[in-house]
Amino acid sequence: MLALIIDVLIINAVFLVIGFSLDYLLTNILNIAGITDEEMATYIIGGIIYFSYIILFPTYFVYSTYKSGKTIGKKIIGIEVISATGGKITLRQAIKRELLGKILSGILMGTGFFIVIFSKNKQALHDKIAKTFVIYNN
């Protein structure tokens, strides 16, 4: 859970810079294109920034977990995700874990994250769905 908090803070900090940059760039492009209606420009820019965010967020988690078994947050606290067979996870497992499993955990008001406390194998819901484990790699 700590790794997730670290990752969310990092992503939001990075996206804050990206969001302001996109806002500046798109405002100038819309002005050059002759779209001066501020309300329309706000909707267009806000939509593009929001769409970028909802693409960046899951892509970061799926890609980094698939590629190395670790996100930046996991690296910082010394954990990684492995397959139930003990090897590197597949792209399919990364998608199941990071998208399907975590969205489901969120829909269940976070309980999917906390079942790790009661799980024999210390798996959260997203790990059970994807058949993965989180291990310490000191």
Side-chain angles (χ1 to χ4, degrees):
M1 188 65 146
L2 179 58
L4 179 61
I5 292 168
I6 292 168
D7 286 324
V8 169
L9 290 173
I10 290 169
I11 289 171
N12 284 332
V14 168
F15 205 77
L16 191 62
V17 172
I18 292 170
F20 279 122
S21 300
L22 278 173
D23 183 36
Y24 178 77
L25 179 68
L26 293 172
T27 299
N28 287 329
I29 289 171
L30 292 175
N31 284 337
I32 291 168
I35 300 173
T36 56
D37 180 1
E38 283 188 40
E39 186 174 349
M40 178 60 74
T42 300
Y43 285 130
I44 292 170
I45 293 168
I48 291 171
I49 291 172
Y50 181 73
F51 180 75
S52 301
Y53 186 77
I54 60 174
I55 295 300
L56 172 74
F57 210 82
T59 301
Y60 164 78
F61 283 100
V62 170
Y63 178 78
S64 55
T65 303
Y66 165 66
K67 212 58 179 152
S68 67
K70 305 172 192 173
T71 59
I72 294 171
K74 286 179 182 68
K75 286 178 188 176
I76 289 172
I77 63 171
I79 60 176
E80 74 177 289
V81 179
I82 62 167
S83 175
T85 60
K88 184 179 181 289
I89 70 169
T90 65
L91 180 57
R92 181 183 213 133
Q93 284 176 300
I95 291 169
K96 281 183 176 180
R97 182 180 196 279
E98 301 300 330
L99 293 180
L100 177 64
K102 288 187 177 176
I103 289 171
L104 187 56
S105 290
I107 290 171
L108 298 172
M109 299 184 312
T111 55
F113 294 105
F114 294 106
I115 66 169
V116 71
I117 297 167
F118 307 105
S119 170
K120 177 184 168 194
N121 294 322
K122 300 299 179 197
Q123 289 176 291
L125 179 61
H126 49 275
D127 289 311
K128 290 182 181 294
I129 289 171
K131 295 182 176 76
T132 58
F133 292 95
V134 176
I135 62 168
Y136 285 93
N137 60 350
N138 299 357

